[in-house]
Amino acid sequence: DAGVIQSPRHEVTEMGQEVTLRCKPISGHNSLFWYRQTMMRGLELLIYFNNNVPIDDSGMPEDRFSAKMPNASFSTLKIQPSEPRDSAVYFCASINKGFVSSYNEQFFGPGTRLTVL
Amino acid sequence: AQTVTQSQPEMSVQEAETVTLSCTYDTSESDYYLFWYKQPPSRQMILVIRQEAYKQQNATENRFSVNFQKAAKSFSLKISDSQLGDAAMYFCAYRRTQGGSEKLVFGKGTKLTVNP
């Protein structure tokens, strides 16, 4: 099992540019999460999907951020236009959501380090 | 809303010694999960240990154990016989069980240094 795959691992862009981060969850997992990690705010959930449907996007900072999950094996997080304060490490995680309230471990990808100049 | 607090931004320990990392949380739920994650310099988030709130027995995984005090809403991690490879950021996290939400709420983390 390759684990959760994220690309790119590093992204450097200029303010105002569009940025797209990609995630491939573990095969068979039906829930996917996007987290952002910064020094100031720590790790915070941006959005999560269950069966490709966005369930909770309350953590998405503003309209410049959007996320899609067109199928069970792929998700994107897009920032347009990007700003220097978006610089952070973005993690994708997936889970095989079983019965409600049962324990299911979240598996994290290696993260994408985004730098906006 | 649930919150998780780690009051120690940094900790250090001598190799082979024992160290305890602190975590407190705030919730109105009675059933939930608590976790400790390790993040080495590679950035990979690694689950170290988990605790179900309905279990009174403290979880243990080899050299890692927790002290879960539900009434005090405290969840500390003890690392015994510390090794150089234990050096990392450690994050405490909370997850509710009701409502089917798998969302994790993290503390700000504790940076652990292991001195040879």
Side-chain angles (χ1 to χ4, degrees):
Chain A
D1 193 335
V4 177
I5 299 172
Q6 290 186 249
S7 64
R9 292 294 308 275
H10 304 272
E11 176 80 24
V12 180
T13 190
E14 293 189 346
M15 182 175 63
Q17 296 298 307
E18 177 181 303
V19 175
T20 299
L21 310 182
R22 297 172 176 80
C23 175
K24 177 179 170 55
I26 292 173
S27 178
H29 282 191
N30 53 13
S31 290
L32 183 141
F33 304 78
W34 282 101
Y35 292 91
R36 178 172 67 176
Q37 184 178 29
T38 61
M39 289 293 293
M40 290 297 294
R41 301 173 66 89
L43 267 159
E44 51 185 350
L45 178 72
L46 299 178
I47 186 171
Y48 87 89
F49 296 85
N50 188 34
N51 292 323
N52 312 337
V53 177
I55 301 300
D56 182 356
D57 65 355
S58 59
M60 295 287 264
E62 48 198 275
D63 292 345
R64 296 184 299 106
F65 285 70
S66 62
K68 294 182 179 180
M69 192 163 186
N71 56 62
S73 59
F74 184 65
S75 177
T76 59
L77 178 67
K78 184 181 293 186
I79 308 172
Q80 181 185 24
S82 58
E83 297 182 3
R85 60 194 169 110
D86 301 330
S87 298
V89 179
Y90 291 81
F91 286 98
C92 177
S94 72
I95 206 169
N96 185 9
K97 184 176 172 63
F99 295 107
V100 169
S101 300
S102 66
Y103 170 69
N104 304 291
E105 180 178 346
Q106 278 193 30
F107 292 87
F108 284 78
T112 294
R113 180 177 292 281
L114 173 64
T115 302
V116 184
L117 303 175
Chain B
Q2 294 83 14
T3 58
V4 177
T5 302
Q6 294 179 247
S7 59
Q8 307 153 315
E10 297 187 25
M11 291 284 285
S12 63
V13 63
Q14 290 296 126
E15 196 175 3
E17 298 294 309
T18 296
V19 65
T20 298
L21 308 183
S22 301
C23 173
T24 58
Y25 59 94
D26 186 26
T27 183
S28 58
E29 305 281 345
S30 59
D31 197 16
Y32 44 86
Y33 293 105
L34 296 165
F35 306 88
W36 279 98
Y37 279 86
K38 171 184 178 181
Q39 186 181 41
S42 67
R43 288 204 312 253
Q44 185 70 49
M45 295 291 287
I46 302 165
L47 179 63
V48 174
I49 198 166
R50 79 172 193 270
Q51 174 80 42
E52 290 91 338
Y54 66 88
K55 290 187 177 179
Q56 292 186 338
Q57 185 173 8
N58 289 323
T60 299
E61 290 287 343
N62 300 314
R63 298 183 295 107
F64 298 86
S65 61
V66 298
N67 183 3
F68 174 48
Q69 302 289 329
K70 190 173 183 179
K73 296 181 181 175
S74 171
F75 183 62
S76 60
L77 174 69
K78 185 171 81 171
I79 306 174
S80 304
D81 185 25
S82 297
Q83 301 175 0
L84 295 177
D86 295 334
M89 286 290 293
Y90 285 82
F91 293 93
C92 180
Y94 166 99
R95 202 210 92 185
R96 63 187 299 191
T97 58
Q98 296 302 314
S101 173
E102 309 283 351
K103 171 183 175 179
L104 288 171
V105 178
F106 288 91
K108 291 288 183 65
T110 297
K111 181 179 181 180
L112 178 66
T113 301
V114 181
N115 301 309

